[in-house]
Amino acid sequence: MPQKLSRRAFVHRSAAAAALAAMPFGRVAAQVRFSSYPFKLGVASGDPSPDGFVLWTRLAPEPLEPGELGRVTFEVDWEVADDPGFGRIAARGRAFAPAHLAHSVHVEVGGLQPGQEYFYRFRLGRYDSPIGRALTAPASTESLRFAFSSCAHYEHGFFSAYRYMADDRPDLMIALGDYIYEDGYGERRVRLFDTREARTLAEYRNRYAQYRTDPDLQAAHEACPWLLTWDDHEVDNDYAGFTSEHELCGGEAERIAFRKRRAAAYQAWFEHMPVRPSRLRAGGGIRLYDTLDWGKLARFCLLDTRQYRSPQACPREPTPTRCDTETGRKLLFIGAGGGRLIDPTDPSCKGEVEDRARTMLGEEQERWLDAALAESPARWNLLAQSVAVAAIREGAPERPLVHSDSWPAYPAARERLLQSLSRHRVSNPVVLTGDVHAFFLSEVRDADQRPVAVELVTSSIATNNKDWTKVLPLNPHIRFHDGTHSGYVRCTLDRDRLQADFVGIDDIRDPRTPRAVLASFEVAAGSSEPRRIG
Ligand SMILES: [Fe+2]
């Protein structure tokens, strides 16, 4: 039966957005026949809570040519069981795969038991999806195993690191951004994107679909629920709020085009992620920041460092080359805006850098975070976010430079973050970070050089790496660095200690590359002094 979205649903911002996800426009298919298997993009779970989680799939018999399904909406059956053989069904239902959301399915399952392992699958006509494993958050627990990742460039390498993460079967995986890259860069590519630099909804959908055909990434999503935040490349290199790195080139026209582009990118992100439909906001925004409690053992504060941030200070000047957006491929990372190395003490830049109105999280998210930290009942408080909080100083010792895209180039915002941690005496704060394509373990120090938190930085899943060994003498707060491996960080947590294993893979260009633990550190509860144990 055709269904129409009620007018009233548009009145309330989030209600309208949630309705958009739940209700189909146009015709609902009565019959189901596809040219080939419709679950080629696999399944995923995410946003766990004590009584449920979100289940995701997307119908895509031809992932890179989605036109086949047209404007028809489908209904998909789903079931959740206690066992992988589906002998004991815990919940089941039917959900829409609406055409206007690329035939993606987002099911918010509730009514389950806390702290339990479940298995799920979808069914449509004679087709069964792959089986995924999900966990509900516990009401109370003594331990947690989680892993986190960032920066997966499909063209640069294979996703072996995701496969190894899946093999570990953690309770939770956390993606810290650059899940996709909107564009290619670099000389050595093991495989190619299907489209040019993604700018339209169709191109972002194509990019996610191509990623999700990767068997290692599918295995990682099937292994356990994910918690997801984003960084810049889900939209465009080094964007900030509504400002693109090409803003200085195009003025008003660029600004309008970028608003549309960002909304398209965010929609495609939602369509491909196991996240709650209530995160959608009318007008193209997504409420991403959130908390997840794992009993009273851990609180994750998931932060959004892109959507509301102020532009990077002291941007590159526009030049004809930097403003030639038509040949975007060559220009990635050299737009007339975005990030670059800056001297924050330089008189030409200092005033702008130190402007107290500049923000990384936006006022509302800052207030929310302050409250989430103040009220946290957790033994460990983990900030899951994209860009480095501890400084990574480069350049000469007498004139150290910082990257204008990272927290130290937003000193007032950084200070407010660290003051929140100190003021509320937040128990065992740990920052989880990605972005820099290298592993780090750092002490986060405040303006008076007091250690406030430990920061664990994961390398890329697959990108060309960056080695910072030369600048380590400028950064005595960095306790560990490896800039030659891709990989991920694997953590085990109990009341008394956090153990972090930095897991490296040898060669992103070899799909059968081995892995090795490059280093293991222990942080004892109550101490900000990490200790190397392996
Ligand atoms: Fe990245």
Side-chain angles (χ1 to χ4, degrees):
M1 283 286 288
Q3 296 188 23
K4 280 186 185 160
L5 195 64
S6 77
R7 241 185 106 70
R8 197 166 55 86
F10 284 103
V11 175
H12 304 289
R13 279 157 44 106
S14 60
L20 278 172
M23 296 179 68
F25 288 104
R27 196 160 59 82
V28 178
Q31 284 196 336
V32 178
R33 261 197 310 269
F34 300 119
S35 61
S36 65
Y37 185 60
F39 295 109
K40 284 185 183 148
L41 304 184
V43 298
S45 70
D47 275 355
S49 63
D51 76 334
F53 32 68
V54 172
L55 300 181
W56 173 94
T57 191
R58 181 186 157 202
L59 305 180
E62 301 296 337
L64 304 183
E65 286 162 32
E68 176 188 358
L69 301 187
R71 299 174 65 83
V72 178
T73 282
F74 296 86
E75 286 184 281
V76 183
D77 293 318
W78 57 268
E79 53 187 11
V80 173
D82 295 338
D83 60 310
F86 289 81
R88 296 184 303 279
I89 300 297
R92 58 163 47 114
R94 180 168 281 197
F96 288 118
H100 71 281
L101 291 173
H103 302 98
S104 60
V105 181
H106 293 79
V107 182
E108 293 188 83
V109 183
L112 302 178
Q113 295 300 311
Q116 291 285 313
E117 179 183 66
Y118 291 97
F119 299 86
Y120 62 92
R121 66 184 169 194
F122 296 90
R123 178 170 292 155
L124 178 56
R126 62 192 174 88
Y127 307 100
D128 278 356
S129 76
I131 293 169
R133 169 180 175 264
L135 285 87
T136 48
S140 77
T141 186
E142 298 298 312
S143 67
L144 164 65
R145 294 167 60 242
F146 67 95
F148 59 98
S149 63
S150 80
C151 299
H153 202 298
Y154 184 88
E155 292 190 329
H156 285 189
F158 297 102
F159 291 166
S160 312
Y162 277 140
R163 186 176 70 250
Y164 287 126
M165 289 174 83
D167 289 350
D168 291 337
R169 284 172 81 85
D171 302 323
L172 184 69
M173 289 192 201
I174 305 160
L176 298 176
D178 293 355
Y179 179 101
I180 60 157
Y181 279 75
E182 82 286 14
D183 196 13
Y185 68 96
E187 295 307 312
R188 299 181 67 187
R189 306 184 190 192
V190 299
R191 46 190 179 175
L192 293 174
F193 286 143
D194 188 58
T195 70
R196 62 166 195 171
E197 178 177 355
R199 292 178 190 145
T200 65
L201 180 57
E203 287 162 352
Y204 284 110
R205 282 173 171 168
N206 176 288
R207 185 72 85 246
Y208 282 103
Q210 192 173 17
Y211 268 68
R212 284 297 181 82
T213 57
D214 182 281
D216 295 329
L217 178 51
Q218 286 192 7
H221 277 294
E222 284 168 19
C224 70
W226 283 42
L227 203 57
L228 290 130
T229 186
W230 53 34
D231 196 21
D232 52 341
H233 290 287
E234 280 84 352
V235 181
D236 190 21
N237 181 54
D238 282 351
Y239 82 96
F242 282 117
T243 306
S244 101
E245 69 168 335
H246 296 296
E247 161 118 352
L248 298 175
C249 301
E252 189 62 16
E254 173 66 28
R255 206 166 302 140
I256 291 165
F258 185 70
R259 278 182 179 255
K260 278 173 71 176
R261 179 180 181 177
R262 196 187 89 160
Y266 282 9
Q267 180 175 336
W269 181 89
F270 170 77
E271 289 168 352
H272 292 84
M273 293 303 166
V275 295
R276 295 190 186 277
S278 55
R279 292 187 184 283
L280 283 175
R281 291 290 178 272
I286 291 187
R287 161 70 189 253
L288 196 152
Y289 59 88
D290 204 355
T291 55
L292 167 64
D293 287 339
W294 212 258
K296 288 194 174 128
L297 179 66
R299 166 166 284 192
F300 291 93
C301 295
L302 188 67
L303 306 186
D304 179 346
T305 61
R306 284 290 158 192
Q307 192 170 183
Y308 319 104
R309 77 148 85 182
S310 311
Q312 296 85 353
C314 325
R316 291 182 191 90
E317 293 302 315
T319 65
T321 339
R322 286 180 190 141
C323 291
D324 179 8
T325 50
E326 285 310 301
T327 51
R329 242 172 208 285
K330 283 192 207 127
L331 290 167
L332 190 69
F333 302 130
I334 53 162
R340 66 178 181 124
L341 283 173
I342 58 168
D343 175 358
T345 62
D346 188 288
S348 68
C349 191
K350 192 173 187 302
E352 188 182 349
V353 169
E354 293 180 359
D355 180 354
R356 296 201 65 81
R358 293 180 69 241
T359 176
M360 181 68 94
L361 302 177
E363 213 176 301
E364 204 177 312
Q365 184 179 192
E366 261 187 33
R367 265 202 310 274
W368 162 86
L369 177 62
D370 188 66
L373 293 171
E375 295 157 4
S376 173
R379 179 85 163 166
W380 296 87
N381 288 278
L382 302 113
L383 305 182
Q385 55 95 50
S386 64
V387 291
V389 178
I392 307 173
R393 294 185 198 94
E394 302 185 54
E398 62 283 3
R399 189 170 167 261
L401 308 174
V402 295
H403 200 274
S404 65
D405 195 58
S406 65
W407 279 94
Y410 292 75
R414 185 179 184 274
E415 191 186 313
R416 292 193 292 271
L417 172 74
L418 300 189
Q419 279 175 355
S420 271
L421 295 173
S422 303
R423 189 169 58 246
H424 303 304
R425 296 179 204 284
V426 171
S427 175
N428 298 305
V430 177
V431 184
L432 311 178
T433 299
D435 179 49
V436 288
H437 305 183
F439 291 108
F440 286 98
L441 187 151
S442 308
E443 288 169 7
V444 179
R445 293 185 186 165
D446 65 13
D448 301 322
Q449 295 305 308
R450 280 186 305 241
V452 179
V454 172
E455 181 170 45
L456 307 173
V457 182
T458 188
S459 185
S460 60
I461 289 291
T463 65
N464 302 327
N465 299 117
K466 179 165 178 188
D467 196 281
W468 266 274
T469 305
K470 273 195 199 142
V471 304
L472 292 181
L474 291 176
N475 296 282
H477 54 283
I478 294 176
R479 307 292 302 273
F480 171 71
H481 164 62
D482 178 292
T484 57
H485 292 84
S486 286
Y488 61 98
V489 180
R490 183 174 68 192
C491 295
T492 51
L493 194 60
D494 63 29
R495 276 190 63 76
D496 301 326
R497 65 192 281 274
L498 164 78
Q499 179 175 329
D501 300 328
F502 294 85
V503 183
I505 57 164
D506 274 2
D507 183 2
I508 54 174
R509 293 169 193 88
D510 172 6
R512 281 185 289 278
T513 187
R515 68 167 159 181
V517 176
L518 305 170
S520 290
F521 280 82
E522 177 183 271
V523 182
S527 152
S528 56
E529 186 68 19
R531 198 165 65 86
R532 187 160 182 168
I533 55 170

